[in-house]
Each structure stands twice: as C-alpha cells, then as structure tokens.
Amino acid sequence: MQYIQIGTRAYFRVLVSMLLGSLVTFAILYSPQPLIGTFAKEFHVSPSSASFIISFSTITLAVTMLFVSLLSNAWGRRGVMSVSLFVTSVLAMVSSFSTNFHLLLAARLLEGVSLAGFPAIAMTYLNEEIEPRSIGQVMGFYVAGTAVGGFAGRVIISLITDFFNWHIAMFVLGLVSLLCSLLFWLYLPKSNHFKPVSISMHHWADGFRNGFANTRLLCLYLIGFLLLGAYVTLFNYIDFPLSQPPYELSQTLIGCLFVFQLIGSWSSVWFGKLADRYSRAGLIASGLGMLLVGALLMLAGNVVFMIAGMILFACGFFAGHTVASGWVGKAAPMRYKAYASSLYLLFYYTGSSLVGWSGGFFLSGFGWNGVIGMIIALIVITALLLLYVTRSSRQERHGSEAKPTAL
C-alpha cells in the first residue's frame, strides 16, 4: 500500500491526531512542573523530593515503553495508543483526589505506566505510514505537538490553581484529556503498513540487543538522555528564582511564561525540514549553541534576559531532539527501527527523571547559579558525544566508498 503523502486528507488527519495525543500525554506528564514549589511548601518536602512528581512518571514511562513495543507489534499501533490515552486521562482525574504527598506520587507512578503507550508507538507509526523522504518534516511537527501539550498542561494547571487549587486543576485537565482521547481514537487513520507478529520474548530481547550493539546509536541515545535532562532541570526549578526577589512573580505569571517555551518549540518544525537536506550533526551542534547561550542569559538577573534565555533554550532543545530522534530512525536497520526508537525514548525519559531530580541538589547547595552550571556541563558532554558520532559516521561512509566494486 502507498505511504501517506504530504498534503493529503489522510496526512492532515495524522497531524491533528498526533497533536491530540501529544496534548493528552505531555500535558498530563509535565503539568505539575510549575507547581513543584507549591508541593514543596504544602507537603513540607525539599525541592528535589517535590520533583519526584515529575520523575516518578518519567522513569516508569521510560521502563514501560520497552514492553509496550512488544505489545504493539502484536496488537497494533492505533489500539495501544488509544487505550494509553484513555487510561491516562482517567488516572489524571483520580490523582486530583490525593490527600497527601505519597498518594500523589503513587498516582503519578501509575500515570507513567499508562502514558508509555503513546510516545513509544507514535514515532514507529509515523515511520511506518508516512512517505520516507518526508519523515524529517513530519517528525518536526510531532515534536512541536509534544511542546504544545506540555505548554497547555502547565498553563491550564497554573491558572486554575491560582483561582481555585491544584486538586480542581488536575481534575479539569483530566476531563479535557478524556475528550481529546476520544477524538484521537475517532480521527487517526488505521495502520496500512503494520504487520502483526506474535509476542516473542526471544525476538524482543534480540531487537533490544541489536539496538545496544551499535555504538553510534548508543551515543544518540545518550544525546537524548542529556538533552531532555538539561531541559527538564531548567524548567523544574525555574519557578524558584522567579517566585523570589527581585522577580516575585505569581503562579499564573510563571505558568504563562511557558508560552515563550512554546515559541521556541517551533524550531522543531524548521529543523525537521532542514534535517532532510543538511548535515544532522551540524544541526544538532547549532541546537547546542542555542542551549548554551540561553543558559548563560539565565544568569543575567533581569526578567527580559530570562525570557530571552527561555526562548533560546527551548529552540536549542527542540532542534537537537528533533534531529537526534530522526537520526535514530535513519541509522537503525529496518527490522530494528521500533526497538531503536524505544531505546532512544528510554534514555530520553530516564534523563528527565535522573538529571531533573539531581538538579534539586544543585539548587539546594549552590542556588540558581549551581543549576545553570550543571546544565552547561551537560551541554559540553553532549557536544563530545556528537563529535564521536560525527567521526564514526564519516569513517563508516569512507569505509563504504573504499570497498572494491564487484565485477
């Protein structure tokens, strides 16, 4: 069967459906981020402990994705993604009734499990159904959708919390997500290129073993780990300096500042298009440059520079993630693409959990400057990994050109 072509009605339905799925997944996943300071005060816990609200969901999401790929290969992409979105929406409403910190953490842990069904399969669905020469552009739109979801969740929960409380905010977000889940199920085109296979632990283990065996892929996984780790660290703790002198911004204003993060996310669409024509290594390097400048602007002590830094940092992150995730799909052999994508996302969300949590110790020990110093160190390490991937790709290409042609 033919692939879905850009500009067709089916292509439009895919984009709308992916936006709806991203709204549900990433709104629920990251909506508590602006409230970490609120949770720390209300439940009398440290900033690093309060950040478990995010970390518990992302770490269970990362681990569960390894097994979701096994189920989707047997049950189909569309069905697994739809169930994931429905269950997550219901759990979000249930979590709003939490009366203490431990109950909230338990609910967020379960949400992480249910959330895994969408991001683990969305990338595979797109690689299977969209024409290959346009996958970079489509991946850019998908990543932009994840940013829209994260932004919407943060703003909705901040506004409603200021007017009422976080319990009502979480319930309303879950209710809106339930409606979006229904629309996703009705609107997403069925898979035409999916071929079901029986559940086999041997094939599952073989797929992930091969995903780990390629050093270049492993470095790309680590780049994803560090990119999201740096990004989540920044936005986990940015409400601490902004809510204190000299800024003293309200929860609503802090939540609305994430609109600048949304502006930066459009770089994913732009860089996704560029990735189909230019060097991926050069594009990721450009993203790292934006991350570095954005982080340094956060040290200026002026709200205008803080906003400029947020925009640049978001641009750099979404650019790097879009290109790196697309590179994984290109570099992995055909039969192992789903496993390679799952491993990339495993590292990606593990970075969110571990690095984002670690940032709380830098905040407690060294203040906001310590958080920025940690982020700069992560950017430098990412640049070194990118250098290795670039050299490895060149050697592989030159080695291929040097092989004698068969007569």
Side-chain angles (χ1 to χ4, degrees), residues 22-23 25-31 33-34 143-159 173 231 235 252-266 310 318:
S22 296
L23 278 170
T25 302
F26 297 96
I28 291 176
L29 181 61
Y30 289 116
S31 59
Q33 203 170 41
V143 173
T146 68
V148 172
F151 163 75
R154 292 175 177 109
V155 171
I156 289 171
I157 210 164
S158 294
L159 288 170
L173 182 61
Y231 184 73
F235 289 103
T252 298
L253 284 175
I254 292 173
C256 287
L257 283 178
F258 282 94
V259 71
F260 299 109
Q261 174 198 47
L262 182 63
I263 294 171
S265 74
W266 284 105
M310 288 175 68
F318 286 109

Side-chain angles (χ1 to χ4, degrees), residues 212-262:
F212 273 117
N214 187 312
T215 307
R216 183 171 47 162
L217 283 175
L218 184 59
C219 287
L220 288 172
Y221 304 154
L222 289 170
I223 286 173
F225 173 93
L226 294 169
L227 283 174
L228 187 59
Y231 184 73
V232 169
T233 297
L234 183 82
F235 289 103
N236 265 2
Y237 304 108
I238 197 170
D239 67 316
F240 284 90
L242 290 177
S243 61
Q244 297 169 3
Y247 308 109
E248 296 184 311
L249 301 183
S250 69
Q251 193 64 60
T252 298
L253 284 175
I254 292 173
C256 287
L257 283 178
F258 282 94
V259 71
F260 299 109
Q261 174 198 47
L262 182 63

Side-chain angles (χ1 to χ4, degrees), residues 293-357:
V293 175
L296 292 174
L297 284 173
M298 296 284 191
L299 296 173
N302 180 286
V303 71
V304 175
F305 284 108
M306 290 283 280
I307 291 172
M310 288 175 68
I311 294 173
L312 267 178
F313 201 87
C315 284
F317 164 73
F318 286 109
H321 169 47
T322 298
V323 179
S325 59
W327 199 349
V328 168
K330 287 282 187 180
M334 179 60 69
R335 62 181 297 190
Y336 299 121
K337 286 187 184 295
Y339 297 101
S341 294
S342 292
L343 284 172
Y344 176 83
L345 292 173
L346 169 68
F347 277 75
Y348 182 71
Y349 288 110
T350 301
S352 171
S353 302
L354 297 182
V355 181
W357 166 69

Side-chain angles (χ1 to χ4, degrees), residues 70 197-208 335-336 339:
L70 178 67
V197 295
S198 59
I199 295 177
S200 168
M201 292 303 295
H202 173 73
H203 290 158
W204 178 79
D206 181 62
F208 284 116
R335 62 181 297 190
Y336 299 121
Y339 297 101

